[in-house]
């Protein structure tokens, strides 16, 4: 059930139980926002791709089972009417399939409010409209992190606007979410957060010299590696980028479009180009960056069974696939030991 502007939409499609084997199709993106179709009420055309993304999803609803919008939902920035506009725009989607959300800087951040980032990006909302308009299965909805199971998928949704560093409450949640999944039943393990906690060659991150949010992967990469996370998704940066399977800045697989066998590292994807004004890439292209696109788009994952998944990046303007790969593997491949991916042992043990 999704609550929108006081109303409730009941999804008629039956949701798969955790571990159920069936065709499962997942959409994921960030930073979509909203826009008037006649352009009359969108200051400086700030989210020019949002209607194209929305329309592509509506056209393909018969082939979508669940949607994840990982932060920067409306860009309302304190104006409640903008929430009404956004919820009206996505109503055909949320009334048909589950619409899961994450927390971004434009939902949460405000000085002295407990946000990890001391910025005024939310216009004073401090996360309250996002927490109340959309249901998320969080223990405390003011702390917008949660896990959710969808058939063969386990999703661990982090809140980049609260502390995620080692020793924090959220770090403990992330490890529990990753550690508690039975990969025989749910082989597809997905991590997502709004800000780029992994890898991005966006111009701004490159200028800072980090190619990601400071302290992001330094805190979390050992968890992604230990629990063999398949894909980590981020928004915040308004473009599309996919890395190789990577660990500690090094590609651990030479393939680009077909992955099989042992899970050696995590693929990191920036998918923040769903609608808001686009972000420039750096001129430097790191060796771990396999595909970059300065355009509006979203990702679709299709799990056919417990050992085969197809990944597609689609442009919002035409719905066509511009980047893709497949993963084919068995449960034994998930169990296989890799560097920093198994418990340390000594001769004594």
């Amino acid at each position: 059930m999704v609550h929108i502007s006081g109303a409730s939409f009941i999804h008629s499609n039956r949701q798969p139980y955790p571990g159920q084997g069936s065709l499962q199709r997942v959409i994921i993106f960030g930073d979509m926002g909203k826009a008037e179709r006649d352009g009359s009420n969108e200051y400086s055309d700030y989210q020019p791709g949002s209607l194209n993304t929305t329309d592509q999803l509506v056209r393909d609803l018969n082939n979508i089972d669940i949607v994840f919008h990982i932060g920067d939902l409306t860009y309302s920035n304190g104006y409640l009417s903008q929430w009404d506009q956004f919820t009206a725009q996505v109503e055909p989607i949320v009334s048909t399939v589950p619409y899961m959300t994450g927390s971004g800087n434009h939902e949460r951040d405000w000085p002295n409010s407990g946000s990890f980032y001391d910025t005024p990006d939310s216009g004073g909302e401090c996360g309250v409209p996002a927490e109340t308009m959309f249901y998320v299965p969080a223990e405390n909805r003011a702390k917008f992190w949660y896990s959710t199971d969808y058939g063969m998928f386990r999703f661990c949704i982090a809140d980049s606007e609260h502390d995620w560093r080692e020793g924090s409450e959220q770090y403990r949640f992330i490890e529990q979410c990753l550690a508690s999944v039975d990969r025989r039943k749910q082989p597809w393990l997905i991590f997502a957060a709004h800000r780029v906690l992994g890898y991005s060659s966006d111009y701004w991150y490159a200028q800072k010299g980090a190619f990601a949010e400071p302290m992001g992967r330094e805190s979390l990469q050992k968890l992604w590696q230990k629990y063999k996370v398949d894909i980590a998704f981020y928004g915040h940066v308004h473009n599309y980028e996919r890395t190789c399977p990577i660990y500690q800045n090094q590609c651990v697989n030479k393939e680009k479009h077909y992955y099989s066998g042992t899970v050696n590292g995590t693929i990191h994807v920036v998918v923040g180009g769903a609608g808001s004004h686009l972000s420039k890439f750096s001129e430097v292209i790191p060796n771990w960056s396999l595909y970059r696109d300065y355009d509006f788009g979203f990702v679709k994952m299709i799990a056919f069974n417990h050992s085969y998944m197809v990944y597609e990046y689609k442009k919002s303007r035409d719905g066509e696939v511009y980047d893709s790969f497949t993963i084919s593997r068995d449960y034994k491949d998930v169990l296989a030991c890799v560097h920093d991916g198994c418990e340390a042992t000594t001769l004594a043990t």
Side-chain angles (χ1 to χ4, degrees):
M1 182 182 295
V2 177
H3 300 279
I4 291 193
S5 299
S8 298
F9 297 91
I10 307 297
H11 305 297
S12 59
N13 55 326
R14 180 175 296 177
Q15 308 307 316
Y17 59 81
Q20 178 178 334
S22 60
L23 180 66
Q24 294 158 17
R25 301 155 298 185
V26 179
I27 297 292
I28 189 163
F29 57 82
D31 305 74
M32 186 171 74
K34 77 285 168 209
E36 294 283 3
R37 293 197 179 272
D38 63 2
S40 63
N41 192 34
E42 194 51 51
Y43 176 69
S44 73
D45 197 24
Y46 195 74
Q47 298 126 58
S50 65
L51 291 177
N52 279 348
T53 299
T54 301
D55 291 347
Q56 288 296 344
L57 298 182
V58 171
R59 291 188 189 104
D60 198 36
L61 269 178
N62 288 335
N63 301 303
I64 294 171
D65 297 309
I66 187 170
V67 173
F68 285 84
H69 187 164
I70 52 173
D72 284 7
L73 310 178
T74 70
Y75 297 91
S76 298
N77 300 342
Y79 292 89
L80 191 60
S81 63
Q82 299 287 283
W83 277 96
D84 291 338
Q85 182 181 338
F86 173 79
T87 54
Q89 181 173 310
V90 299
E91 190 265 347
I93 304 169
V94 302
S95 61
T96 306
V97 298
Y99 196 93
M100 310 301 292
T101 59
S103 179
N105 52 304
H106 284 280
E107 281 78 55
R108 182 60 186 84
D109 293 356
W110 190 254
N112 303 312
S113 70
S115 174
F116 189 66
Y117 295 90
D118 193 36
T119 73
D121 293 349
S122 79
E125 291 185 359
C126 301
V128 175
E131 295 161 14
T132 53
M133 291 207 183
F134 288 90
Y135 168 76
V136 293
E139 291 186 11
N140 180 345
R141 290 168 69 182
K143 300 171 181 177
F144 219 101
W145 57 75
Y146 62 93
S147 67
T148 191
D149 298 309
Y150 192 89
M152 296 175 287
F153 288 91
R154 160 66 63 87
F155 295 92
C156 298
I157 310 299
D159 179 357
S160 62
E161 311 315 301
H162 281 91
D163 194 356
W164 67 82
R165 294 171 297 176
E166 189 165 3
S168 67
E169 180 184 2
Q170 182 171 194
Y171 185 93
R172 292 191 293 272
F173 155 77
I174 293 170
E175 180 159 27
Q176 172 63 21
C177 181
L178 299 176
S180 60
V181 61
D182 182 347
R183 298 298 288 275
R184 186 187 297 274
K185 296 179 179 178
Q186 293 177 283
W188 310 116
L189 182 56
I190 308 299
F191 175 86
H194 178 65
R195 292 176 186 259
V196 181
L197 304 182
Y199 295 85
S200 167
S201 63
D202 177 72
Y203 178 81
W204 188 84
Y205 280 136
Q207 288 290 99
K208 298 295 182 180
F211 287 102
E213 204 70 31
M215 302 177 292
R217 61 176 177 266
E218 287 81 0
S219 297
L220 295 171
Q221 64 182 343
K222 63 182 177 182
L223 296 184
W224 300 325
Q225 185 75 353
K226 179 179 180 180
Y227 298 108
K228 299 181 175 67
V229 172
D230 291 301
I231 310 175
F233 287 99
Y234 315 99
H236 196 58
V237 170
H238 304 159
N239 54 41
Y240 170 78
E241 185 168 22
R242 171 171 68 93
T243 76
C244 58
I246 191 171
Y247 179 55
Q248 293 184 337
N249 288 290
Q250 300 297 317
C251 292
V252 293
N253 191 311
K254 296 180 180 179
E255 295 292 331
K256 295 183 178 181
H257 297 285
Y258 178 72
Y259 303 105
S260 63
T262 305
V263 184
N264 290 307
T266 298
I267 297 169
H268 292 259
V269 176
V270 174
V271 64
S276 191
H277 64 288
L278 294 170
S279 303
K280 294 190 302 181
F281 286 103
S282 67
E283 294 183 2
V284 175
I285 304 177
N287 59 8
W288 41 256
S289 181
L290 295 187
Y291 191 99
R292 307 197 304 183
D293 190 38
Y294 181 79
D295 204 348
F296 301 105
F298 54 92
V299 161
K300 185 175 187 178
M301 294 181 289
I302 308 167
F304 290 91
N305 51 46
H306 287 78
S307 59
Y308 189 72
M309 183 178 75
V310 172
Y311 166 106
E312 299 174 334
Y313 164 66
K314 298 185 174 187
K315 287 185 186 285
S316 299
R317 56 181 165 86
D318 58 14
E320 297 297 319
V321 176
Y322 285 79
D323 182 36
S324 65
F325 63 82
T326 61
I327 301 176
S328 176
R329 61 157 191 260
D330 296 319
Y331 178 58
K332 63 179 176 60
D333 299 317
V334 180
L335 290 181
C337 283
V338 298
H339 183 68
D340 290 346
C342 289
E343 295 294 337
T345 59
T346 66
L347 289 176
T349 58

